[in-house]
Amino acid sequence: MKKNFGIKILVIIIAIFLWVQQVLLKTHIQEIPVPILLNDFPDNLVLTEETPIKVPVIIEARGMDLFILKLSNISFKVNAKNFKYGKNEFKITEQNLSYPERLDLNLKKIETGKGLSVLLDKLITKKKPIRILYASAKDEEFFLQYKILNPQQQVEIKGPSSIIKNIKRIKTRKISQKMVKDYKLTVFLENPNENTNLLTNQVVFEIMNIRIITRTISLIPIKYPENLNISIIPQKVSAMISGPEDIVSKLDNKIIIAYLNESKIKKNNFVQVDFDFPAGVKLIEYTPHKIQIIHNE
């Protein structure tokens, strides 16, 4: 039984081999899409189409040659050194076809339809202003207060004129106040289109020189949820803060907000204080560090 099964498998393998051999040796006629490659463009021009032009070609050849052809880099190569800005019409012949020389092919027909043409655009370089993006609303507030001294500087971008003319501004990556070092801010730029090229990928902004001072604000009232039926001890807190002189010097215990987080109150009898400060102002320390919660009955 096993012997007969093995013979059947061998027969099937031999039959498949003979069929494949016949297919590979037999002459076939097939239609194959062949891309057109334009070479030697003028330096100031660029192709507007993103996808390559493909032309259907009817080819007669042995199955083996057709199989190898499909695995090869077959293409029509066209010299474009005399092409100009705008629409360019051209023709292709069998002489333009590039394929491995060892293949025996018979080119039956090239399906070019009404003819071939490509649009070439001018390659230009223009200066564009920068659009600054912020990491958060607080960061935007920070830079509005502390002034970027040269926000209107421009950067050069190179690409097709049809794309460049529609680009109004070059966006930055999102900036934050943490990125400021020695009153300077280095920002990376985002290339707006895959077909364009920024001639620089970053810019440096100068931030207005700010004098940083430290102050202690006393007797800041502590806010807490009144619906919880609780009392707190103490009801006021003192905080040491630092920041730009023109902002910190104007702060007092009526402007600074100190509060207790409701979720912390429900879990503990002693909680820390949270603060809301203007952008750029930092908390150094505060006292007392914890507030006692008394639950009223």
Side-chain angles (χ1 to χ4, degrees), residues 38 66 91 128 136 141 157 180 184 199 246 281:
L38 302 176
L66 287 171
K91 296 180 180 179
K128 297 287 182 177
S136 68
E141 183 183 350
I157 183 171
V180 178
K184 290 187 177 181
L199 301 192
D246 61 333
V281 176

Side-chain angles (χ1 to χ4, degrees), residues 99-118:
Y99 62 91
E101 293 182 358
R102 65 181 184 276
L103 301 182
D104 184 14
L105 306 179
N106 179 19
L107 193 62
K108 305 285 287 184
K109 188 176 182 181
I110 303 174
E111 301 281 0
T112 57
K114 296 181 180 179
L116 296 169
S117 65
V118 292

Side-chain angles (χ1 to χ4, degrees), residues 37-45 77-85 88-90 118 120:
L37 299 181
L38 302 176
N39 301 318
D40 299 327
F41 277 111
D43 292 339
N44 65 330
L45 298 179
K77 292 188 176 179
V78 177
N79 191 310
K81 68 178 181 180
N82 294 321
F83 282 19
K84 299 179 180 180
Y85 169 67
N88 293 267
E89 296 181 350
F90 63 95
V118 292
L120 295 185

Side-chain angles (χ1 to χ4, degrees), residues 12 21 96:
I12 292 173
Q21 186 181 42
N96 297 112

Side-chain angles (χ1 to χ4, degrees), residues 37-91:
L37 299 181
L38 302 176
N39 301 318
D40 299 327
F41 277 111
D43 292 339
N44 65 330
L45 298 179
V46 63
L47 188 65
T48 57
E49 288 88 353
E50 295 182 1
T51 56
I53 306 169
K54 289 189 177 182
V55 175
V57 177
I58 298 175
I59 296 176
E60 182 181 32
R62 293 186 310 159
M64 177 64 76
D65 288 330
L66 287 171
F67 177 74
I68 296 174
L69 181 65
K70 291 176 181 179
L71 298 177
S72 306
N73 293 322
I74 180 174
S75 63
F76 286 106
K77 292 188 176 179
V78 177
N79 191 310
K81 68 178 181 180
N82 294 321
F83 282 19
K84 299 179 180 180
Y85 169 67
K87 185 177 180 180
N88 293 267
E89 296 181 350
F90 63 95
K91 296 180 180 179

Side-chain angles (χ1 to χ4, degrees), residues 208-227:
M208 185 173 62
N209 194 336
I210 306 165
R211 182 169 177 260
I212 304 298
I213 64 171
T214 300
R215 279 188 65 199
T216 298
I217 310 294
S218 303
L219 302 176
I220 304 170
I222 303 172
K223 295 184 178 181
Y224 60 92
E226 296 180 359
N227 62 306

Side-chain angles (χ1 to χ4, degrees), residues 225-239:
E226 296 180 359
N227 62 306
L228 295 183
N229 195 25
I230 61 172
S231 300
I232 63 172
I233 300 177
Q235 296 187 346
K236 295 184 180 181
V237 68
S238 297

Side-chain angles (χ1 to χ4, degrees), residues 4 44 133 256:
N4 291 336
N44 65 330
L133 300 183
I256 296 176

